[in-house]
Amino acid sequence: MTNWLPKVKFGTGPRYMAIADALAEDIRNGFLQQGDRLPTHRDLSWHLGVTVGTVSRAYAEAERRGLTFGEVGRGTFVHGPSPAERHMLNQSRFADQNLIPMDFAYPPPGGVEEKEMASTLQAISADSKISTLLSYQPHSGLPHHREAGAHWFELNGLTVDPDHVILTAGAHHAIAVTMAAIARPGDRVLCEEMTYPGIQSVCRMLGLRLDGLEMDKHGIVPEAFEEACKVGDVKFLYCVPNFQNPTTRLLPMDRRLAIADIARRYKVSIIEDDVFGLVVENALPPITNMAPERCYYISSLAKTIAPGLRVGYLTGPQHSIANLIGAVRATCWMASPITAEIATRWIMSGAADRILEARKISARRRVEIARKIFADYEMESETLGIYVWLYLPAPWRSSQFTHAASRAGVTISASEAFIVGRKAPPHAVRICLGQTDTDEKLIRGLEILAEILSKGPDVGNSVF
């Protein structure tokens, strides 16, 4: 257990909120690390001079914010900053400490993107119509930007009329836009039992009730989806069929058909997040092809071309387009025309294909490196994967191993970051292979992790 005790100044507001705020502040400042176990309710109440009930409410508030998680019989643990927050800390605060970041799902460097970017920016600056990119545009995007989005969808196996393509500020924004357009506070929604952590944040913001569905080695179990639908009150299912985050699993064709059929029979919508579609060597057709009247399809360039462009593409049933556009207008008015123009020129000129091919070569090489270093351990991966899902041998726990890796200068993601609800997380970690700028740094990071695994947990210095 950590020796952490907060310095709380109680004011006129609720005491439990002051404790939760102090906890959040100490996580942000690095005084608490991912995996740290917090004091018991009774110990903290004695130290602060408050009731046990006040501490219980404070811990519940911290869990609601996504700061902590509880395990029955073991206590309350720190989730730590979100992957995005950790990434920003790594890029700035810890940049001079030789940290090896492997907790953010980047496409690996391909070596051609910088040249393509310089060439495209030069071409845009010389365009006589550049001023139009500095003005307000249609909420759904300019016509030729939507046409590029339709072309991008086509690469992922989905044919869409450009008039039904909506530009967003990245895939995460597209998810929030779709949820806001089709659901209302209190609605029950479903996802895989381990999923992209950003979904939980969006659901909390919109007041949605999120339940996780059972998974096996192939992904969502269709029978679990149907059982949840039978209970009723399900608004939509969010899923990542291709290269599931974090497990890398590919949902088989028979399950895609089954899920589409269940959604139809129970009149449940599906939000299909296909940002990893082009990461998979032999990706299968989108579920949207099988139930277009019930599906909302999302893609972007973040995991394949350039995370910083923040360009996403969204489509849905024809009757929903107006509501989706309205949600874009309400959240950001429009996606940035300048970044959309860069994405459009890359997609239509073939530059995106060149960048993607170079990144695929790098990804294939890095996955092979990871497979060799972790040859003695169980690991799920894809040939072109930008991360791997590593199972930990006993007696390692996920948060314990992540904490040990952090102390050794390598940041990875514990399974707790992805779990939905209070189910016990698997003893596994997600290791991202694309974030490091060189293969040498990647190898050093993976070898550090392998060495930690081989030594086993240091019980004497454990945070548990």
Side-chain angles (χ1 to χ4, degrees):
M1 182 185 299
T2 177
N3 294 322
W4 173 81
L5 290 172
K7 296 178 180 178
V8 186
K9 293 182 179 180
F10 295 116
T12 58
R15 292 191 167 195
Y16 80 92
M17 290 294 288
I19 297 171
D21 289 343
L23 173 61
E25 183 68 19
D26 284 351
I27 291 174
R28 280 194 298 270
N29 291 332
F31 299 126
L32 283 169
Q33 300 292 324
Q34 185 175 30
D36 283 349
R37 189 171 73 178
L38 298 178
T40 65
H41 295 209
R42 188 173 301 279
D43 286 348
L44 189 59
S45 69
W46 181 87
H47 172 77
L48 296 178
V50 299
T51 66
V52 172
T54 297
V55 173
S56 297
R57 292 187 69 187
Y59 279 6
E61 172 64 17
E63 184 169 350
R64 186 192 69 80
R65 298 184 194 181
L67 300 172
T68 63
F69 63 95
E71 290 188 14
V72 177
R74 296 190 63 235
T76 301
F77 299 84
V78 175
H79 256 322
S82 70
E85 290 170 330
R86 286 199 304 274
H87 170 65
M88 295 311 297
L89 288 171
N90 295 344
Q91 294 297 309
S92 55
R93 182 178 171 188
F94 301 126
D96 60 344
Q97 298 184 20
N98 204 31
L99 191 77
I100 302 177
M102 306 179 78
D103 59 342
F104 213 68
Y106 266 47
V112 302
E113 51 272 13
E114 293 87 354
K115 181 180 178 181
E116 296 288 358
M117 185 66 166
S119 175
T120 302
L121 290 176
Q122 187 176 23
I124 291 175
S125 67
D127 193 325
S128 61
K129 298 180 181 179
I130 188 174
S131 61
T132 62
L133 300 177
L134 304 178
S135 303
Y136 285 113
Q137 307 295 345
H139 305 298
S140 57
L142 288 166
H144 70 290
H145 293 167
R146 298 199 302 273
E147 183 180 350
H151 183 76
W152 189 252
F153 282 161
E154 191 75 40
L155 296 177
N156 287 271
L158 183 69
T159 301
V160 178
D161 187 321
D163 288 342
H164 296 160
V165 175
I166 300 168
L167 266 72
T168 62
H172 185 88
H173 180 230
I175 292 167
V177 160
T178 306
M179 290 185 177
I182 67 177
R184 294 293 178 268
D187 281 345
R188 180 177 177 230
V189 299
L190 306 174
C191 66
E192 294 114 333
E193 63 184 0
M194 288 186 293
T195 191
Y196 166 52
I199 294 307
Q200 300 192 55
S201 300
V202 174
C203 286
R204 284 195 296 270
M205 179 181 70
L206 297 177
L208 305 178
R209 296 178 291 133
L210 184 65
D211 290 334
L213 295 177
E214 179 188 354
M215 299 171 64
D216 61 17
K217 63 180 181 179
H218 299 297
I220 289 178
V221 176
E223 292 77 11
F225 180 35
E226 181 154 20
E227 285 302 312
C229 291
K230 284 180 181 178
V231 174
D233 195 28
V234 175
K235 195 68 176 183
F236 64 79
L237 164 69
Y238 166 84
C239 60
V240 184
N242 289 319
F243 198 68
Q244 199 270 341
N245 187 7
T247 65
T248 81
R249 294 166 192 167
L250 178 68
L251 193 68
M253 192 65 185
D254 60 337
R255 295 200 179 188
R256 295 174 189 239
L257 291 167
I259 287 171
D261 177 65
I262 294 167
R264 273 197 169 118
R265 287 190 283 113
Y266 290 92
K267 296 181 172 55
V268 171
S269 296
I270 296 175
I271 299 177
E272 183 173 11
D273 186 347
D274 204 18
V275 294
F276 298 106
L278 295 178
V279 170
V280 181
E281 190 87 79
N282 297 300
L284 296 172
I287 296 174
T288 301
N289 280 340
M290 303 157 203
E293 79 286 358
R294 303 230 60 88
C295 292
Y296 298 79
Y297 184 84
I298 294 168
S299 187
S300 79
L301 278 64
K303 307 305 181 185
T304 49
I305 305 300
L309 280 184
R310 308 313 303 150
V311 176
Y313 302 110
L314 165 66
T315 191
Q318 187 171 353
H319 66 79
S320 71
I321 298 299
N323 286 340
L324 294 173
I325 294 173
V328 171
R329 180 179 65 246
T331 53
C332 74
W333 192 262
M334 63 182 184
S336 168
I338 294 176
T339 53
E341 181 69 17
I342 295 171
T344 295
R345 292 186 181 224
W346 280 2
I347 291 171
M348 304 308 285
S349 71
D353 295 334
R354 294 189 291 272
I355 294 171
L356 179 59
E357 187 56 36
R359 291 195 189 276
K360 283 183 176 181
I361 293 171
S362 180
R364 185 176 287 108
R365 182 177 65 251
R366 291 186 173 209
V367 169
E368 284 304 312
I369 291 172
R371 286 174 175 171
K372 288 179 181 178
I373 291 176
F374 295 126
D376 295 333
Y377 303 99
E378 183 182 358
M379 185 179 78
E380 294 189 58
S381 63
E382 276 285 340
T383 305
L384 301 176
I386 60 177
Y387 51 79
V388 296
W389 185 239
L390 179 69
Y391 292 94
L392 305 175
W396 280 112
R397 292 179 179 273
S398 174
S399 56
Q400 187 183 35
F401 181 73
T402 304
H403 191 69
S406 179
R407 292 199 306 268
V410 182
T411 58
I412 55 177
S413 298
S415 59
E416 287 88 345
F418 306 96
I419 201 77
V420 176
R422 300 183 66 86
K423 181 177 179 179
H427 304 306
V429 292
R430 191 189 72 174
I431 304 171
C432 295
L433 307 180
Q435 199 172 354
T436 56
D437 55 357
T438 65
D439 285 3
E440 290 73 24
K441 187 178 290 186
L442 171 76
I443 292 170
R444 187 164 72 251
L446 295 178
E447 288 179 341
I448 289 172
L449 296 177
E451 183 179 3
I452 295 172
L453 278 178
S454 67
K455 291 181 176 178
D458 185 349
V459 178
N461 294 325
S462 172
V463 296
F464 301 107

